[in-house]
Amino acid sequence: MKIYKVILSALCLILLTSAGRKDEHKIYHKGWIDFNKNGEKDLFEDPTQSVDVRVADLLSQMTMEEKTCQMATLYGFSRVLEDELPNEKWKSRVWKDGIANIDEHLNTIQNRPYTYTKYAYPYSNHAEAINVVQKWFIEETRMGIPVDFTNEGVHGLCHKRATPLPAPIGIGATWNKELVYQAGQIVGREAKVLGYTNIYAPILDVASDPRWGRVVECYGEDPFHIGELGVAMTKGLQSEGVASTVKHFAVYSVPKGARDGQARTDPHVAPREMHQLYLYPFKKVIEEAKPMGVMSSYNDYDGVPITGSYYFLTELLRQQFGFEGYVVSDSEAVEYLFDKHAVATDYSDAVRQAVEAGLNVRTTFRTPESYIEPLRELIKEGRISMQTIDARVADVLRVKMRLGLFDNPFVSDPQLANKIVHTDENEAFSRQITRESMVLLKNENNLLPLDVNKIEDLLVVGPLADATGYTFSRYGPADNTSVSVYKGIKDYGEGKFNVNYVKGCDVMDASWPESELMDVPLTEEEQAGIDEAVEQAKKSDVIIAVVGEDEKRVGESKSRTSLQLPGRQLQLVKALYATGKPVVLVLINGQPLTINWENKYIPAILEAWFPGTSAGDVVAETLFGDNNPGGKLSVTFPKSTGQIPLNFPFKKGSHGGQTEDVGNGYGTTRVTEPLYPFGYGLSYTTFQYNDLKISPVSAFSQADIHISFKVTNTGEVEGDEVVQLYLEDVVSSVTTYESQLRGFERVRLLPGETKTVNITLHPDDLQLLDKNMNWTVEPGQFNVKVGSSSTNIKLNGSFEIHSL
């Protein structure tokens, strides 16, 4: 039956494609398509030819107008494209000569009604609609070059009712490479059957300033951790036959003072730090996973905008890292060369600079004509050579060839999408990755897990207790059923104990963010809300306070000044604590928070990040012990914004404390140490580390170093331990980091079970940038530190590297 449906779908497609103009060529042949409609199998139409031969042949037949059309994005329906499906007006638009890609076409975005369309769901509707659009470009343009259909995918595929994932900061907290690979497979598989061919994921930015709003969209602050998960996500995506476009290249995540929005410039990063921290994940992912796309960022570095930099887009990206795909610009990156960075005399000059730097495709929420027309003028004026244009277009065509768009440009079985997208199995996976993102920050006297037999009345309170907006993202699926923490606990407690709910206060107060700078008296309404929560708390056995940030307080262009709980939430928590009843804090947030009072007084704190749509069910499972939290922090929690930067890794001596002993440099003038360090996270069980082995203990610089150790679950319940290996270069020619993460594994252990963990260090793991900015493995001693966080080291050892 399945084969029958595939054949029927193919027959329907053939009928559709032959129903056009009377003089239309019969272009669909067995094993090849006559894209240029000349009745002959050209080299670029021949699947047996190499990609380079096909691209060269196609380029030789293209006009300047057709080439420039392969250098711009057409944003999909309701953003730029006014139409859901092709119509006669398209023949008068610039894309009559083709287009590089169409972004987010007919996908639907949460809370943006203007993007809603009947072609997004059922899923087969979208696959069929994409086929119609692709058919138009193949049949109605002279050369018939297929479109690359792009879409976002960092929280799960950005499509109506696709499989949801937690925010990337939650994914990072899983420290589970296998799980992240599977997440990439799901996003790629769903994209493929829906008709998307290129996914903008993963984000490889290093989140070193927790005030920055897009920390929620990063895996964490450590480049090795980001690189490992980035490799897994990229490989997972591309294993399903779609392209992965990584972002944002480069040095994007450190705007000065974390100021985002209209700033988006001026990262203060030294050259060596740029390479060792901010470029490291991109280099690793490009070399190991071979993504087919890169998105260039709109910031500058040391006064030179990235999207106008030949050094970044060509020398680094292609010549040094070996990137072989095509580069798209982040929104307005080209325009910013002129109207923000002011390094171009006019917009046309900005276009010239970007193209010559190495940009392949301009992508922003403007018409493609706004880029293609000035580009054509530059060519006619002789300000950009056709040789440069050919090189940029060849990169785009090469990716389209590698994706199979010149061999199988259509979704072969649109109905298959209804069976593949957001299956029960995918939903189970979504719940599992959300479970593994939970991080237990505090558990005084083992208050958690809660015992259902000791609870009659439970209060769920807080502005985020019955909210679900944070489970959705601009860059993730829309319109999925979402479970609030209150509903999840209520469902869990059905027939076991009573569950009550009081909001208590809003996420923010009327004067916020001014209230982050000074005390503002509570209004009568705010005080009444807290009073109501307190009265209900007095009648309860346990209080679950769900507090933090919502989707309006963290995200793109939403950097913060303070990292305390916004609004009146701390007053609410203090009032609940004063009742004397046990309080469990559930944090919903996208970035580290300075929860000093909460950490000192509240007995149990669970970090849930921005979880997936199963949020309430997973939090309930975790609070009552059905899920043992095993996630670890991938970002440092500071005690104060005055400590920033306080991220990991850090240079030796840069996080130094203070002493009360009288002498030069003594004093107690500041708060030291983080609230929670990088890699930190508790469990409902305990683990023991033993038997560290290092082989060899003496080696030359190009040798692999093999490290093994044993981990035992010494508690009474099953649990996950994220084992972490850190490396210290004892003496080096330049100042290095106190320690660097160089290996990790998430290990699941039954009570009493022991497993051996094996980690291999390669020469690249020992490298540093020497005084001459050359990557070098220097001779000397390296200390190995194995533990459960960057500060909780259980095993120590060392090995020696000798010069050749």
Side-chain angles (χ1 to χ4, degrees):
M1 181 60 70
K2 186 175 181 180
I3 295 174
Y4 171 76
K5 288 183 177 179
V6 171
I7 295 172
L8 181 62
S9 178
L11 288 172
C12 289
L13 184 61
I14 293 170
L15 289 172
L16 280 170
T17 54
S18 62
R21 305 183 306 272
K22 292 181 180 180
D23 61 345
E24 183 180 31
H25 294 286
K26 295 180 179 179
I27 65 174
Y28 301 97
H29 302 278
K30 184 177 181 180
W32 67 284
I33 300 173
D34 187 11
F35 290 100
N36 64 2
K37 309 162 193 69
N38 65 355
E40 300 176 3
K41 183 192 286 188
D42 293 88
L43 289 174
F44 83 90
E45 297 165 344
D46 185 353
T48 66
Q49 299 294 325
S50 70
V51 168
D52 287 342
V53 167
R54 298 177 78 179
V55 168
D57 181 56
L58 177 54
L59 266 177
S60 70
Q61 299 187 43
M62 294 170 67
T63 65
M64 182 268 285
E65 287 75 16
E66 288 162 342
K67 291 175 181 177
T68 52
C69 278
Q70 295 299 314
M71 297 177 68
T73 291
L74 171 59
Y75 253 97
F77 170 68
S78 80
R79 268 75 68 155
V80 171
L81 189 56
E82 298 172 354
D83 314 302
E84 294 170 298
L85 298 176
N87 56 47
E88 282 301 312
K89 292 186 296 183
W90 286 27
K91 295 297 291 183
S92 62
R93 298 301 299 266
V94 72
W95 54 87
K96 69 181 182 298
D97 293 316
I99 203 72
N101 53 38
I102 300 180
D103 194 25
E104 298 193 272
H105 189 46
L106 306 173
N107 61 340
T108 296
I109 296 176
Q110 185 78 14
N111 298 324
R112 300 194 183 187
Y114 59 87
T115 68
Y116 297 175
T117 167
K118 65 183 179 182
Y119 295 107
Y121 185 85
Y123 307 120
S124 55
N125 285 4
H126 188 268
E128 290 167 352
I130 290 296
N131 276 351
V132 171
V133 176
Q134 188 73 281
K135 174 179 175 289
W136 188 92
F137 278 93
I138 290 172
E139 296 182 5
E140 300 297 333
T141 64
R142 187 183 75 92
M143 293 303 296
I145 299 173
V147 173
D148 186 15
F149 288 96
T150 57
N151 196 6
E152 302 285 351
V154 298
H155 293 248
L157 187 67
C158 186
H159 188 94
K160 184 174 182 176
R161 300 189 189 180
T163 300
L165 298 175
I169 192 64
I171 295 175
T174 69
W175 292 62
N176 191 328
K177 290 171 280 189
E178 182 180 348
L179 209 66
V180 174
Y181 177 83
Q182 293 172 14
Q185 284 184 306
I186 289 172
V187 174
R189 189 180 308 127
E190 294 186 346
K192 184 77 171 177
V193 296
L194 283 164
Y196 302 112
T197 49
N198 192 328
I199 302 303
Y200 293 158
I203 289 177
L204 301 178
D205 300 318
V206 174
S208 57
D209 192 327
R211 297 169 297 180
W212 185 53
R214 298 196 85 171
V215 169
V216 68
E217 294 171 1
C218 301
Y219 289 143
E221 69 188 16
D222 179 82
F224 182 85
H225 170 266
I226 297 165
E228 290 287 287
L229 298 189
V231 166
M233 178 62 78
T234 301
K235 285 185 174 180
L237 277 165
Q238 296 198 158
S239 71
E240 298 297 328
V242 301
S244 165
T245 292
V246 300
K247 55 184 187 177
H248 307 86
F249 186 81
V251 206
Y252 169 76
S253 56
V254 277
K256 187 175 181 179
R259 290 184 284 275
D260 201 351
Q262 296 303 309
R264 303 185 176 189
T265 58
D266 202 17
H268 282 201
V269 176
R272 184 171 281 103
E273 184 180 30
M274 176 185 74
H275 285 278
Q276 295 185 155
L277 295 184
Y278 297 93
L279 293 179
Y280 179 96
F282 289 95
K283 182 175 185 290
K284 185 180 185 72
V285 172
I286 289 168
E287 290 179 347
E288 295 186 19
K290 306 295 183 185
M292 294 190 222
V294 164
M295 180 179 288
S296 69
S297 56
Y298 40 54
N299 56 280
D300 69 335
Y301 174 73
D302 195 24
V304 180
I306 300 296
T307 299
S309 169
Y310 183 84
Y311 171 72
F312 276 96
L313 298 192
T314 299
E315 290 183 11
L316 271 182
L317 196 58
R318 296 191 182 276
Q319 296 171 7
Q320 293 188 32
F321 297 173
F323 176 65
E324 295 180 343
Y326 75 84
V327 180
V328 299
S329 65
D330 200 353
S331 295
E332 301 297 281
V334 174
E335 289 75 8
Y336 281 176
L337 296 180
F338 167 59
D339 61 25
K340 187 175 291 293
H341 298 293
V343 298
T345 54
D346 53 25
Y347 171 59
S348 179
D349 187 43
V351 172
R352 178 192 62 79
Q353 288 187 34
V355 171
E356 292 187 340
L359 182 71
N360 298 101
V361 175
R362 194 286 300 267
T363 303
T364 194
F365 296 96
R366 298 173 187 254
T367 65
E369 285 95 339
S370 66
Y371 183 75
I372 291 170
E373 289 175 358
L375 180 58
R376 289 173 177 174
E377 286 300 312
L378 288 166
I379 295 168
K380 291 175 182 177
E381 293 168 2
R383 295 170 63 193
I384 295 181
S385 73
M386 282 307 300
Q387 184 179 10
T388 298
I389 297 297
D390 284 352
R392 302 295 174 264
V393 175
D395 293 329
V396 177
L397 298 177
R398 195 175 295 112
V399 168
K400 291 186 177 186
M401 291 283 184
R402 290 170 61 191
L403 288 172
L405 290 175
F406 283 88
D407 303 319
N408 299 290
F410 301 106
V411 180
S412 60
D413 181 6
Q415 293 299 319
L416 188 61
N418 296 328
K419 300 177 182 179
I420 294 293
V421 181
H422 205 160
T423 62
D424 290 344
E425 183 181 0
N426 289 356
E427 176 61 25
F429 175 87
S430 175
R431 288 171 178 265
Q432 183 59 28
I433 195 169
T434 298
R435 289 186 189 105
E436 295 199 21
S437 71
M438 300 286 118
V439 182
L440 185 61
L441 298 179
K442 186 179 179 183
N443 194 20
E444 191 175 274
N445 298 322
N446 293 321
L447 174 59
L448 297 177
L450 298 172
D451 187 343
V452 295
N453 298 314
K454 296 180 180 180
I455 300 173
E456 291 186 8
D457 292 285
L458 183 147
L459 174 64
V460 184
V461 61
L464 293 164
D466 200 29
T468 58
Y470 59 82
T471 66
F472 297 95
S473 166
R474 157 68 181 88
Y475 298 109
D479 201 31
N480 280 313
T481 300
S482 185
V483 181
S484 71
V485 174
Y486 164 57
K487 186 178 187 306
I489 294 176
K490 187 175 179 62
D491 290 345
Y492 190 93
E494 186 71 33
K496 304 169 188 173
F497 49 82
N498 298 320
V499 179
N500 296 301
Y501 161 73
V502 177
K503 187 176 183 180
C505 67
D506 293 324
V507 172
M508 66 175 189
D509 60 280
S511 63
W512 192 86
E514 182 186 32
S515 58
E516 298 206 321
L517 305 177
M518 64 187 77
D519 288 333
V520 178
L522 275 70
T523 64
E524 290 183 5
E525 183 180 358
E526 289 170 340
Q527 187 63 61
I530 293 176
D531 290 344
E532 181 187 4
V534 167
E535 288 305 308
Q536 189 64 53
K538 290 176 181 178
K539 306 172 187 176
S540 305
D541 299 307
V542 177
I543 304 162
I544 309 297
V546 189
V547 295
E549 305 166 309
D550 61 7
E551 69 282 4
K552 297 178 181 178
R553 245 54 60 181
V554 60
E556 188 171 8
S557 299
K558 297 181 178 71
S559 59
R560 288 189 58 191
T561 306
S562 166
L563 290 174
Q564 299 176 25
L565 290 176
R568 307 305 190 182
Q569 295 182 78
L570 182 54
Q571 288 100 317
L572 172 64
V573 173
K574 287 181 176 180
L576 295 170
Y577 172 77
T579 65
K581 298 299 180 74
V583 178
V584 177
L585 215 61
V586 175
L587 292 178
I588 303 294
N589 50 299
Q591 57 204 136
L593 300 177
T594 53
I595 50 170
N596 296 287
W597 188 95
E598 298 90 327
N599 178 68
K600 185 173 182 177
Y601 293 104
I602 302 301
I605 305 175
L606 178 68
E607 174 61 80
W609 301 114
F610 274 18
T613 50
S614 59
D617 293 333
V618 170
V619 168
E621 293 172 355
T622 306
L623 295 177
F624 288 95
D626 294 343
N627 174 51
N628 185 352
K632 301 281 188 176
L633 296 181
S634 60
V635 284
T636 301
F637 275 51
K639 294 175 181 175
S640 165
T641 52
Q643 294 176 291
I644 296 170
L646 193 72
N647 48 286
F648 183 91
F650 51 88
K651 294 288 182 66
K652 295 175 179 178
S654 66
H655 285 191
Q658 290 185 302
T659 177
E660 295 184 36
D661 297 332
V662 176
N664 290 337
Y666 85 100
T668 53
T669 60
R670 62 183 172 86
V671 172
T672 59
E673 304 300 325
L675 182 62
Y676 307 114
F678 175 80
Y680 172 83
L682 304 177
S683 173
Y684 295 155
T685 188
T686 54
F687 301 96
Q688 187 177 66
Y689 291 65
N690 289 292
D691 200 18
L692 175 65
K693 294 180 180 179
I694 302 172
S695 177
V697 294
S698 180
F700 291 110
S701 60
Q702 296 309 301
D704 286 345
I705 307 296
H706 303 282
I707 296 170
S708 69
F709 52 92
K710 294 178 180 178
V711 184
T712 302
N713 182 344
T714 53
E716 298 179 355
V717 296
E718 182 181 12
D720 291 2
E721 173 70 327
V722 176
V723 299
Q724 302 160 44
L725 187 153
Y726 296 89
L727 201 62
E728 176 193 6
D729 190 347
V730 178
V731 178
S732 52
S733 62
V734 294
T735 303
T736 57
Y737 300 98
E738 188 168 289
S739 66
Q740 294 186 82
L741 180 69
R742 283 298 179 261
F744 61 88
E745 297 291 339
R746 184 163 180 147
V747 183
R748 178 157 297 176
L749 295 164
L750 296 170
E753 184 180 10
T754 298
K755 287 184 180 178
T756 299
V757 178
N758 295 286
I759 295 175
T760 299
L761 296 174
H762 304 293
D764 287 356
D765 296 320
L766 312 184
Q767 284 186 137
L768 56 74
L769 277 171
D770 65 14
K771 291 180 179 180
N772 298 315
M773 295 296 286
N774 294 315
W775 287 104
T776 307
V777 178
E778 294 186 339
Q781 180 180 323
F782 289 81
N783 289 339
V784 175
K785 307 172 184 180
V786 175
S788 62
S789 79
S790 60
T791 60
N792 189 9
I793 301 302
K794 306 290 188 179
L795 302 172
N796 289 278
S798 65
F799 59 89
E800 193 84 17
I801 292 296
H802 303 284
S803 57
L804 294 172

